[in-house]
Amino acid sequence: MARSPTHAAIEAVFRIEWPRLIAGLARVVRDVSAAEELAHDALVAALEQWPGDGIPDRPGAWLMATAKHRAIDTVRRAKLVRRKHEELGGEIEALGGEVSDEREAIDEALDDEIGDDMLSLMFVACHPVLAMEARVALTLRMVGGLTTAEIARAFLVPEPTIAQRIVRAKRTLAEARVPFEVPRGRQLAERLESVLGVVYLVFNEGYAATAGDDWLRPALCDDALRLARMLAELAPQEPEVHGLAALLEIQASRSAARAGPDGEPVLLLEQDRSRWDRLLIRRGLQALASAERLGGALGPYALQAAIAACHARAATAAATDWARIVALYDALAALAPSPVVQLNRAVAVSMAFGPAEALPIVDALVASAELKSYHLLPAVRGDLLAKLGRLAEARAEFERAAALTRNERERGLMQGRAQACGALVAPAPLA
Amino acid sequence: MRFMILVKATRDSEAGKQPSERLFAEMATYHEELAKAGVLLDGSGLQPSAKGWRIRYSGDKRAVFDGPFAETKELVAGYTMIQTKTREEAFEWARRFPNPSLDHGEAEIEVRQLYELEDFEPNPQLQRFEAIKEISR
């Protein structure tokens, strides 16, 4: 390479190579923490050499070779320590033959197809032994290739908090002796659910920021989308992986339309559909078709993707197939009963069969008190009441929603609707 | 951010020659890597310009010209669209693109960044553009 590589160029190589490096090394040393240390050493070596020598033609191979040398040292040292212990017990093995066996084994392991390693790395980073926020941090760091600073910025917490979270997570994994492998059989489904859950959470954190001034944090959405796309390549036989990818692609396709000129949220039905991203919609519909082809049409992510697809396929809001959406929500509610699903179902019922049909569903939710601090419950109830002409009640609900949301932008939206109801409260109610 | 890697045409690609097994394998490996890294969005090869046409505008007038077109090096023979976190990452991925020429000789690729729709404010023209796309679907 002719031009001398900048720091940013080297960083870009790291971003690409870091996850693969850790995944490949973790298989050899069977320990994610040790693998990360080895990878880190290799990166330090690169930072010393590349600014002068230029980035090698195959930087991945360079980094792997450098880390490999260290790995051999580490494994050998560990064996020596163990052997010392064994010697005390009187068992001495011949040293010579074994070292070359080791080297061969490591060479072989590192030259293997890396797909399974990356998948193993995802499963380890999302292991149920870890708290949810630890899974998220570890996944973004090790699989997503984000720096600690980038993760901290994305989640609006101080960098040392994230660094500590990652250190503690790695310790927990070591203590629990979590094996570096793709789980099999019955375990697979459960563990896969955890991986998908982490990716979905990252996406949602970017898509509907729970805290802060911005309604959207697109970088997090992109990170999650990238993880979902990786998963779809690495575990193509799993229908729900495609279901999740489909859901995220279609939701992301609306990013540009979800915020107005001043950054305020624009609700789905009021969005300018010309701003929806056709490429992402096409990718989403393709992924959904893959999920369905694999017999996964009724998985929870595939069902949500199918609902999103109904919107994506509708040329205008009025053309939405609400009856189908209600049917899909029925299936989703049967599969994974949850008050949030019921709330969404109520919205669909209102659109398909009228607000009067939907109000009892929402009232039942209010009565059950399960969603009592969820701002969208009064928001939806307010909307139904407004449509039914019960404006004073609607205003009270919008005000409740405004008080409950932690997002500034959403609060503004709810206050606006409350005011609109107030202005419209007329002496004669609508028929 | 999104980038399009444009593969420029060569005399061979314009002659409609099929890539060798080796080139197929290199391209497949490269695109698999992009996909496994979650970076690949789209991609395709284009048929020779002999099968295409051009429309040249002059004010309100327009004239149609059938291919092939002479300026081979300016023609596009294929594209790969990627999405990366930084410009440098796109640069690094592009750097790894295999030599696309059919005879492993001279070739050129060009990388261009895409505008994102977020770069534009909503306007009625975009809406009309969308309506046209809906009809064509």
Side-chain angles (χ1 to χ4, degrees), chain A residues 156-175:
Chain A
L156 312 174
V157 295
E159 198 182 329
T161 309
I162 294 292
Q164 236 179 23
R165 204 174 280 173
I166 290 172
V167 168
R168 244 184 276 132
K170 286 190 291 194
R171 198 183 304 141
T172 306
L173 287 175
E175 280 165 8

Side-chain angles (χ1 to χ4, degrees), chain A residues 1 3 6 8-9 11-13 15-17 20 55-60 113-115 118 146 150 218-220 222-223 225-226 229-230 233-234 249 255-256 261 272-283 285 312-315, chain B residues 1-2 29-43 79 81-96 114-131 133-135 137:
Chain A
M1 203 166 113
R3 57 187 198 184
T6 61
E11 211 176 83
V13 175
R15 197 185 292 286
I16 295 170
E17 300 300 340
R20 302 201 276 194
I55 296 176
D57 275 342
R58 298 181 57 211
E113 177 61 34
I114 74 138
M118 193 64 81
L146 270 70
E150 283 170 331
L220 266 182
D222 287 343
D223 292 330
L225 208 46
R226 186 164 179 167
R229 288 170 183 159
M230 285 173 78
E233 285 300 314
L234 299 175
E249 298 275 11
S255 298
D272 173 359
R273 294 181 182 222
S274 69
R275 288 170 75 80
W276 288 1
D277 188 315
R278 311 306 307 182
L279 175 63
L280 295 189
I281 290 176
R282 176 161 63 76
R283 290 182 56 93
L285 295 178
R313 288 192 185 106
Chain B
M1 44 186 83
R2 299 177 191 187
T29 304
Y30 177 75
H31 285 82
E32 266 168 32
E33 284 210 17
L34 289 177
K36 280 183 180 165
V39 170
L40 180 64
L41 281 182
D42 200 7
Y79 71 94
M81 201 195 294
I82 61 174
Q83 182 170 14
T84 61
K85 207 170 171 68
T86 64
R87 186 181 175 78
E88 287 78 15
E89 192 190 347
F91 181 87
E92 180 58 29
W93 279 115
R95 201 175 69 101
R96 300 176 184 198
L114 272 74
Y115 280 116
E116 305 285 339
L117 253 188
E118 288 97 327
D119 296 339
F120 302 107
E121 290 304 314
N123 72 57
Q125 264 56 43
L126 274 174
Q127 228 155 5
R128 290 180 55 208
F129 184 49
E130 175 59 16
K133 278 193 292 186
E134 286 305 330
I135 293 164
R137 265 197 315 155

Side-chain angles (χ1 to χ4, degrees), chain A residues 127-199:
Chain A
H127 197 279
V129 77
L130 300 170
M132 198 59 178
E133 55 182 21
R135 292 181 212 175
V136 167
L138 212 53
T139 302
L140 287 175
R141 177 78 190 102
M142 292 199 178
V143 187
L146 270 70
T147 63
T148 319
E150 283 170 331
I151 301 169
R153 230 175 7 254
F155 285 94
L156 312 174
V157 295
E159 198 182 329
T161 309
I162 294 292
Q164 236 179 23
R165 204 174 280 173
I166 290 172
V167 168
R168 244 184 276 132
K170 286 190 291 194
R171 198 183 304 141
T172 306
L173 287 175
E175 280 165 8
R177 296 178 179 278
V178 170
F180 187 78
E181 63 188 18
V182 176
R184 289 173 204 290
R186 254 190 27 204
Q187 253 212 331
L188 177 65
E190 192 188 312
R191 295 277 304 279
L192 187 62
E193 208 178 294
S194 173
V195 174
L196 298 176
V198 167
V199 176

Side-chain angles (χ1 to χ4, degrees), chain A residues 347-412:
Chain A
V347 174
V349 166
S350 159
M351 297 305 292
F353 311 115
E357 293 284 321
L359 194 57
I361 304 173
V362 177
D363 286 343
L365 286 170
V366 173
S368 78
E370 271 182 290
L371 292 177
K372 65 173 191 283
S373 54
Y374 188 50
H375 64 281
L376 290 181
L377 178 58
V380 169
R381 188 155 189 275
D383 186 59
L384 295 178
L385 289 167
K387 282 180 178 147
L388 290 167
R390 292 157 64 176
L391 295 177
E393 289 167 86
R395 181 171 60 175
E397 293 289 4
F398 286 130
E399 280 165 357
R400 196 167 301 145
L404 282 173
T405 182
R406 283 161 58 207
N407 186 288
E408 286 302 324
R409 296 290 189 183
E410 234 172 353
R411 181 169 306 137

